[in-house]
Amino acid sequence: MSIDTNLLMRLQKLANITLKTEEIEKTKDNLNEIINFIENINNLDLEDIPTFFSQRTTALTMRDDIPINNPNIAQDILKNAPKSENNFFIVPKIIE
């Protein structure tokens, strides 16, 4: 797989970014280099390596799940939101 100009234009639209004309070739080269690197990883022989590997040998400690009734939690959370209305977040429209 390689990134051509058409695919880069689609990715640019999906990512909602604008590349300058002089950045297009460099970006294509960088993305193709990343894809080639990933393809090299796919060619590695990983047969003897377990699918899940972790240095941790002990189980994670779990906290008690205690429900708390806090009637002001919505207001506390929405204080950090850039926009809110009627206890809801206001977000930009993302579906055309």
Side-chain angles (χ1 to χ4, degrees), residues 55-61:
Q55 295 289 337
R56 191 175 189 93
T57 57
T58 60
L60 294 173
T61 56

Side-chain angles (χ1 to χ4, degrees), residues 68-86:
I68 299 173
N69 187 6
N70 183 353
N72 297 324
I73 196 161
Q75 289 79 22
D76 292 343
I77 293 171
L78 290 171
K79 282 192 302 190
N80 300 313
K83 293 181 183 178
S84 64
E85 183 178 303
N86 297 329

Side-chain angles (χ1 to χ4, degrees), residues 16 82-83 89-95:
N16 198 20
K83 293 181 183 178
F89 291 102
I90 304 295
V91 296
K93 183 177 177 181
I94 58 170
I95 299 175

Side-chain angles (χ1 to χ4, degrees), residues 26-88:
K26 185 175 181 180
T27 304
K28 282 190 336 188
D29 292 340
N30 289 340
L31 290 173
N32 281 319
E33 187 176 333
I34 292 169
I35 289 172
N36 289 335
F37 178 76
I38 292 171
E39 286 176 354
N40 286 338
I41 292 174
N42 287 337
N43 293 331
L44 293 175
D45 180 22
L46 304 174
E47 192 68 32
D48 297 331
I49 298 175
T51 55
F52 179 76
F53 176 76
S54 175
Q55 295 289 337
R56 191 175 189 93
T57 57
T58 60
L60 294 173
T61 56
M62 302 292 281
R63 64 171 172 82
D64 292 333
D65 191 11
I66 303 170
I68 299 173
N69 187 6
N70 183 353
N72 297 324
I73 196 161
Q75 289 79 22
D76 292 343
I77 293 171
L78 290 171
K79 282 192 302 190
N80 300 313
K83 293 181 183 178
S84 64
E85 183 178 303
N86 297 329
N87 287 338
F88 292 100

